[in-house]
Short mmCIF file of all heavy atoms in Angstrom, two decimals:
data_model
loop_
_atom_site.label_atom_id
_atom_site.label_comp_id
_atom_site.label_asym_id
_atom_site.label_seq_id
_atom_site.Cartn_x
_atom_site.Cartn_y
_atom_site.Cartn_z
N ARG A 299 122.98 76.74 71.05
CA ARG A 299 122.36 75.63 70.35
C ARG A 299 122.25 75.79 68.84
O ARG A 299 121.49 74.96 68.14
CB ARG A 299 121.02 75.28 70.92
CG ARG A 299 121.05 74.95 72.46
CD ARG A 299 121.80 73.61 72.78
NE ARG A 299 121.08 72.53 72.24
CZ ARG A 299 120.11 71.96 72.92
NH1 ARG A 299 119.78 72.30 74.13
NH2 ARG A 299 119.44 70.92 72.38
N GLY A 300 122.78 76.86 68.29
CA GLY A 300 122.81 77.10 66.85
C GLY A 300 121.47 77.52 66.26
O GLY A 300 121.19 77.28 65.06
N CYS A 301 120.62 78.18 67.10
CA CYS A 301 119.33 78.65 66.57
C CYS A 301 119.48 80.07 66.01
O CYS A 301 118.99 80.98 66.54
CB CYS A 301 118.29 78.66 67.67
SG CYS A 301 118.06 77.04 68.48
N LEU A 302 120.22 80.15 64.85
CA LEU A 302 120.62 81.43 64.33
C LEU A 302 120.02 81.69 62.93
O LEU A 302 119.77 80.76 62.20
CB LEU A 302 122.15 81.48 64.24
CG LEU A 302 122.99 81.29 65.52
CD1 LEU A 302 124.40 81.24 65.27
CD2 LEU A 302 122.61 82.34 66.59
N GLU A 303 119.73 82.93 62.74
CA GLU A 303 119.28 83.41 61.43
C GLU A 303 120.46 84.00 60.63
O GLU A 303 121.55 84.11 61.22
CB GLU A 303 118.14 84.41 61.59
CG GLU A 303 116.95 83.92 62.31
CD GLU A 303 115.93 85.00 62.54
OE1 GLU A 303 116.26 86.20 62.45
OE2 GLU A 303 114.71 84.65 62.85
N SER A 304 120.19 84.46 59.44
CA SER A 304 121.22 85.17 58.68
C SER A 304 121.61 86.41 59.42
O SER A 304 120.77 87.10 60.00
CB SER A 304 120.75 85.43 57.28
OG SER A 304 119.60 86.26 57.33
N GLY A 305 122.90 86.68 59.46
CA GLY A 305 123.39 87.78 60.26
C GLY A 305 123.71 87.48 61.63
O GLY A 305 124.13 88.36 62.39
N GLY A 306 123.50 86.25 62.01
CA GLY A 306 123.92 85.77 63.34
C GLY A 306 122.92 86.08 64.43
O GLY A 306 123.11 85.87 65.63
N ARG A 307 121.68 86.50 64.07
CA ARG A 307 120.66 86.78 65.07
C ARG A 307 120.05 85.47 65.53
O ARG A 307 119.88 84.56 64.77
CB ARG A 307 119.56 87.69 64.47
CG ARG A 307 119.98 89.14 64.14
CD ARG A 307 118.79 89.97 63.75
NE ARG A 307 118.04 89.42 62.70
CZ ARG A 307 118.40 89.65 61.41
NH1 ARG A 307 119.44 90.43 61.09
NH2 ARG A 307 117.62 89.11 60.43
N VAL A 308 119.67 85.46 66.85
CA VAL A 308 119.08 84.25 67.45
C VAL A 308 117.59 84.26 67.04
O VAL A 308 116.89 85.26 67.16
CB VAL A 308 119.22 84.28 68.99
CG1 VAL A 308 118.38 83.18 69.59
CG2 VAL A 308 120.68 84.11 69.37
N ASN A 309 117.19 83.05 66.55
CA ASN A 309 115.74 82.85 66.26
C ASN A 309 115.05 82.38 67.54
O ASN A 309 115.26 81.24 68.00
CB ASN A 309 115.63 81.83 65.15
CG ASN A 309 114.15 81.63 64.69
OD1 ASN A 309 113.33 81.44 65.46
ND2 ASN A 309 113.97 81.62 63.36
N PHE A 310 114.24 83.27 68.09
CA PHE A 310 113.54 82.90 69.37
C PHE A 310 112.62 81.70 69.26
O PHE A 310 112.45 80.96 70.14
CB PHE A 310 112.88 84.13 69.94
CG PHE A 310 113.78 84.98 70.71
CD1 PHE A 310 115.10 85.12 70.39
CD2 PHE A 310 113.26 85.81 71.73
CE1 PHE A 310 115.98 85.98 71.17
CE2 PHE A 310 114.13 86.71 72.54
CZ PHE A 310 115.44 86.75 72.17
N GLU A 311 111.95 81.58 68.12
CA GLU A 311 110.96 80.49 67.99
C GLU A 311 111.70 79.16 67.94
O GLU A 311 111.24 78.19 68.58
CB GLU A 311 110.16 80.65 66.72
CG GLU A 311 109.07 79.54 66.57
CD GLU A 311 108.21 79.75 65.36
OE1 GLU A 311 108.31 80.70 64.67
OE2 GLU A 311 107.28 78.85 65.18
N LYS A 312 112.86 79.08 67.21
CA LYS A 312 113.65 77.83 67.20
C LYS A 312 114.19 77.58 68.54
O LYS A 312 114.33 76.38 68.98
CB LYS A 312 114.75 78.00 66.10
CG LYS A 312 114.21 77.87 64.74
CD LYS A 312 115.42 77.83 63.73
CE LYS A 312 114.86 77.75 62.26
NZ LYS A 312 116.00 77.73 61.31
N THR A 313 114.62 78.63 69.28
CA THR A 313 115.13 78.45 70.67
C THR A 313 114.05 77.87 71.56
O THR A 313 114.35 76.98 72.35
CB THR A 313 115.66 79.78 71.21
OG1 THR A 313 116.65 80.37 70.35
CG2 THR A 313 116.23 79.60 72.59
N ALA A 314 112.89 78.39 71.43
CA ALA A 314 111.71 77.84 72.17
C ALA A 314 111.57 76.41 71.92
O ALA A 314 111.27 75.63 72.78
CB ALA A 314 110.54 78.71 71.93
N GLU A 315 111.60 76.04 70.66
CA GLU A 315 111.34 74.59 70.29
C GLU A 315 112.46 73.74 70.92
O GLU A 315 112.11 72.62 71.34
CB GLU A 315 111.45 74.45 68.78
CG GLU A 315 110.24 75.06 68.00
CD GLU A 315 110.36 75.10 66.53
OE1 GLU A 315 111.49 74.72 66.04
OE2 GLU A 315 109.44 75.51 65.82
N VAL A 316 113.65 74.22 70.99
CA VAL A 316 114.71 73.48 71.69
C VAL A 316 114.41 73.24 73.11
O VAL A 316 114.55 72.12 73.65
CB VAL A 316 116.13 74.19 71.52
CG1 VAL A 316 117.13 73.61 72.53
CG2 VAL A 316 116.64 74.07 70.11
N ILE A 317 114.02 74.30 73.79
CA ILE A 317 113.65 74.23 75.27
C ILE A 317 112.56 73.26 75.51
O ILE A 317 112.59 72.39 76.38
CB ILE A 317 113.35 75.64 75.84
CG1 ILE A 317 114.58 76.51 75.72
CG2 ILE A 317 112.83 75.47 77.26
CD1 ILE A 317 114.27 77.99 75.92
N ILE A 318 111.49 73.34 74.72
CA ILE A 318 110.31 72.52 74.87
C ILE A 318 110.76 70.99 74.59
O ILE A 318 110.35 70.11 75.31
CB ILE A 318 109.21 72.92 73.93
CG1 ILE A 318 108.68 74.35 74.43
CG2 ILE A 318 108.03 71.94 73.93
CD1 ILE A 318 107.68 74.94 73.42
N ARG A 319 111.50 70.81 73.49
CA ARG A 319 111.95 69.44 73.14
C ARG A 319 112.81 68.90 74.24
O ARG A 319 112.67 67.65 74.54
CB ARG A 319 112.66 69.54 71.85
CG ARG A 319 112.92 68.12 71.19
CD ARG A 319 113.26 68.25 69.72
NE ARG A 319 114.37 69.09 69.44
CZ ARG A 319 114.37 70.23 68.79
NH1 ARG A 319 113.18 70.64 68.26
NH2 ARG A 319 115.48 70.96 68.60
N ASP A 320 113.70 69.69 74.88
CA ASP A 320 114.54 69.16 75.90
C ASP A 320 113.71 68.77 77.14
O ASP A 320 114.04 67.77 77.79
CB ASP A 320 115.50 70.31 76.35
CG ASP A 320 116.68 70.45 75.40
OD1 ASP A 320 116.82 69.61 74.47
OD2 ASP A 320 117.43 71.43 75.58
N LEU A 321 112.66 69.47 77.45
CA LEU A 321 111.79 69.06 78.53
C LEU A 321 111.07 67.78 78.24
O LEU A 321 111.11 66.82 79.04
CB LEU A 321 110.74 70.17 78.82
CG LEU A 321 109.67 69.76 79.79
CD1 LEU A 321 110.13 69.96 81.23
CD2 LEU A 321 108.35 70.51 79.65
N ARG A 322 110.44 67.71 77.10
CA ARG A 322 109.62 66.54 76.74
C ARG A 322 110.45 65.28 76.55
O ARG A 322 109.97 64.14 76.91
CB ARG A 322 108.87 66.79 75.46
CG ARG A 322 107.83 67.83 75.56
CD ARG A 322 107.12 68.14 74.21
NE ARG A 322 106.14 69.22 74.28
CZ ARG A 322 105.49 69.74 73.28
NH1 ARG A 322 105.70 69.20 72.04
NH2 ARG A 322 104.70 70.68 73.41
N SER A 323 111.62 65.37 76.16
CA SER A 323 112.54 64.20 75.99
C SER A 323 113.22 63.81 77.17
O SER A 323 113.80 62.64 77.34
CB SER A 323 113.52 64.48 74.87
OG SER A 323 114.44 65.53 75.32
N GLY A 324 113.22 64.60 78.23
CA GLY A 324 113.94 64.24 79.46
C GLY A 324 115.32 64.74 79.49
O GLY A 324 116.11 64.51 80.46
N ARG A 325 115.81 65.49 78.45
CA ARG A 325 117.21 65.95 78.44
C ARG A 325 117.46 67.01 79.52
O ARG A 325 118.59 67.19 79.86
CB ARG A 325 117.54 66.50 77.00
CG ARG A 325 117.51 65.47 75.91
CD ARG A 325 118.07 66.14 74.64
NE ARG A 325 117.95 65.23 73.48
CZ ARG A 325 116.94 65.30 72.62
NH1 ARG A 325 115.98 66.28 72.76
NH2 ARG A 325 116.81 64.47 71.65
N LEU A 326 116.42 67.72 79.95
CA LEU A 326 116.57 68.62 81.04
C LEU A 326 116.72 67.92 82.38
O LEU A 326 117.15 68.55 83.36
CB LEU A 326 115.41 69.54 81.14
CG LEU A 326 115.38 70.76 80.18
CD1 LEU A 326 113.98 71.46 80.25
CD2 LEU A 326 116.49 71.72 80.55
N GLY A 327 116.45 66.65 82.39
CA GLY A 327 116.49 65.92 83.67
C GLY A 327 115.03 65.55 84.16
O GLY A 327 114.12 65.93 83.57
N ARG A 328 115.01 64.80 85.23
CA ARG A 328 113.72 64.32 85.73
C ARG A 328 113.12 65.51 86.58
O ARG A 328 113.75 65.99 87.59
CB ARG A 328 113.90 63.09 86.61
CG ARG A 328 114.43 61.90 85.75
CD ARG A 328 114.56 60.70 86.63
NE ARG A 328 113.24 60.21 87.07
CZ ARG A 328 113.09 59.02 87.71
NH1 ARG A 328 114.17 58.29 87.95
NH2 ARG A 328 111.91 58.58 88.05
N LEU A 329 111.98 66.00 86.14
CA LEU A 329 111.37 67.11 86.86
C LEU A 329 109.82 67.01 86.83
O LEU A 329 109.25 66.38 85.89
CB LEU A 329 111.86 68.46 86.30
CG LEU A 329 111.63 68.67 84.82
CD1 LEU A 329 110.34 69.44 84.52
CD2 LEU A 329 112.79 69.49 84.23
N THR A 330 109.21 67.60 87.81
CA THR A 330 107.71 67.67 87.89
C THR A 330 107.32 69.10 87.95
O THR A 330 107.92 69.91 88.69
CB THR A 330 107.23 66.92 89.15
OG1 THR A 330 107.70 65.59 89.12
CG2 THR A 330 105.74 66.89 89.26
N LEU A 331 106.26 69.41 87.21
CA LEU A 331 105.95 70.86 86.96
C LEU A 331 104.89 71.41 87.93
O LEU A 331 104.46 72.50 87.85
CB LEU A 331 105.37 71.08 85.61
CG LEU A 331 106.40 70.91 84.45
CD1 LEU A 331 105.77 70.93 83.09
CD2 LEU A 331 107.57 71.89 84.56
#
């Protein structure tokens, strides 16, 4: 998802934001927690 820092390292905080945003927007699909 392109959550990268300089040097190509994955930024875990940005990755977390993507996952949370996918859940809240419904992009993950319809689910109940």
Side-chain angles (χ1 to χ4, degrees):
R299 299 295 291 275
C301 303
L302 304 175
E303 299 175 343
S304 58
R307 292 188 303 274
V308 171
N309 183 313
F310 275 29
E311 184 176 0
K312 286 184 178 179
T313 302
E315 289 173 356
V316 165
I317 295 166
I318 294 169
R319 192 162 57 244
D320 282 351
L321 172 83
R322 293 178 183 174
S323 66
R325 293 189 190 99
L326 276 170
R328 297 180 66 174
L329 55 93
T330 303
L331 294 174

